[in-house]
Amino acid sequence: MAANLFEHFENGNLNAGAQRKSIASMPWNAHKEFPGVFLKNVVTGEETGGLFSCHLVRIEAGAKIGLHSHPASIELHEVIAGSGVCITDDGEIPYAPGCVTVLASKAQHEVRAGAEGLCLFAKFVSVTS
């Protein structure tokens, strides 16, 4: 059932006020920096005036999102399917369905997929300086 849960999200609908969008019709985009990582941009920063964005993220088996940070936003990961690990300055966080991780702005982190890959919902909320 867990693997099917991600399919429900990637084929679901976005409801924002009176606006309705098919998530299924949104394209998967290869990450520009990290091979084996694909994003479906469900809500973009452009749509929210830079305040919020959320993305379905699919990381192929053995692939990773390398060490990076987000200086202007807090990041939330909701693991939907697969397995892996999130590496932070505070240690390693095992990633499995049901895991939710909050990453502070400027927090260095890396996400590595396990043998079956990793699927998560990543959300970004802008912080003011």
Side-chain angles (χ1 to χ4, degrees), residues 19-76:
Q19 183 180 17
R20 307 285 184 263
K21 287 180 45 182
S22 166
I23 296 172
S25 68
M26 298 173 184
W28 281 103
N29 302 296
H31 197 287
K32 294 175 184 174
E33 295 178 45
F34 305 114
V37 177
F38 300 89
L39 305 169
K40 189 175 269 218
N41 301 315
V42 177
V43 176
T44 65
E46 291 79 25
E47 295 170 306
T48 65
L51 298 176
F52 173 77
S53 69
C54 63
H55 317 269
L56 288 174
V57 181
R58 191 177 72 229
I59 307 172
E60 294 179 343
K64 68 179 181 179
I65 299 173
L67 190 65
H68 68 287
S69 67
H70 303 279
S73 60
I74 296 168
E75 183 173 5
L76 176 80

Side-chain angles (χ1 to χ4, degrees), residues 75-79 86 95 99-101 103 109 111 120-122:
E75 183 173 5
L76 176 80
H77 291 166
E78 295 174 278
V79 180
C86 182
Y95 269 15
C99 177
V100 178
T101 300
L103 298 159
H109 59 284
V111 180
L120 53 90
F121 212 164

Side-chain angles (χ1 to χ4, degrees), residues 75-95:
E75 183 173 5
L76 176 80
H77 291 166
E78 295 174 278
V79 180
I80 300 171
S83 66
V85 64
C86 182
I87 302 166
T88 71
D89 289 341
D90 295 323
E92 291 189 5
I93 303 164
Y95 269 15

